[in-house]
Structures are given as structure tokens and as C-alpha cells.
Amino acid sequence: MHTRRRGSSGSDRPATDEPPEWSDVESDAIEARVVELAEAGHDPSVIGMKLRDEGVKGTPIPNVKLATGKKVTQILEDNDASPELPEDLRNLMERAIGLREHVDENGQDHSNKRALQNTESKIRRLVNYYRGDELDEDFKYSYDNAVELLE
């Protein structure tokens, strides 16, 4: 968005409507594992990778949505284990806090000042997107507010 670089290409998942035959774990066990990983403090993307790599009882789960019919975030919402902030917004806020602390110590670092401006711009755009659904109607981004939320 804020750079001249092109996006990185990656492999696409195979187009299929049903889970693979070799991954025959019940959806209740998958949901229990998802909630367990969330309570351990993992984000939804990390939960998906752990299920892909470690699996449930040794059986890998390549795609949670195909196996259970629900996405990881939907499973977390159903079990009241969803995080306070959406994962993408949280990651951007962590980056902005780190950049702000760096710029405060190194005032002449103009490239990181620009990076901070771009990151905070992305945060404001995401806040507008999530406002009303996953965030309060009167939520405003500020550095102090972000530090308070992430502690």
C-alpha cells in the first residue's frame, strides 16, 4: 500500500469442499483444541498453523473450516474466547508502539517517522472498518489508548 514493492506470490490451496480422508478428527475435538490454544494466548493465525503442524491427537488438520464448517474466529466467538481486538489491528498497534518509542529516542530517523505515519494511517483505516462491529462506536486510535489496550 505505501511502498513500490509488489506482493509476494504463494501457493494456492486446492479447491475442495470436503476435508481429506486421512484427517478424520471429529469437529468437537478440533473446537476443544482451538479453545485450548486460545486460552494459552495464541492468535487465530497461530492456532491455524499449530493445528496444521501439530494437529489434534497427532492428526494434522489442514483446514479448520472444511473439518468443522466454521472458521477459527467463529469457533472462538461461539465459545466466548475471542480476543478483545482483531488480530490485524493488534499487530499494527504493536508495530506503531515500537516505532513511536524508536522515533522518540532517535528524532532524526526520518524513514521511521514516515513508517510510523503510514502504520498509524493503516490503523485509522482499520478502526473505521471495525467500528461498530468489533470495536465501540466511539473508539478513537491514539498512542496512549493503544498502549493501554495492549498491556
Side-chain angles (χ1 to χ4, degrees), residues 19-39:
E21 297 170 2
W22 51 265
S23 179
D24 57 350
V25 180
E26 293 182 18
S27 62
D28 294 337
I30 295 171
E31 288 187 21
R33 179 74 174 144
V34 167
V35 172
E36 175 186 327
L37 289 170
E39 289 173 352

Side-chain angles (χ1 to χ4, degrees), residues 3 7 15 33-34 36 81 83 124 131 136 138:
T3 63
R33 179 74 174 144
V34 167
E36 175 186 327
R124 282 188 224 98
R131 188 176 286 131
D136 294 335
D138 58 343

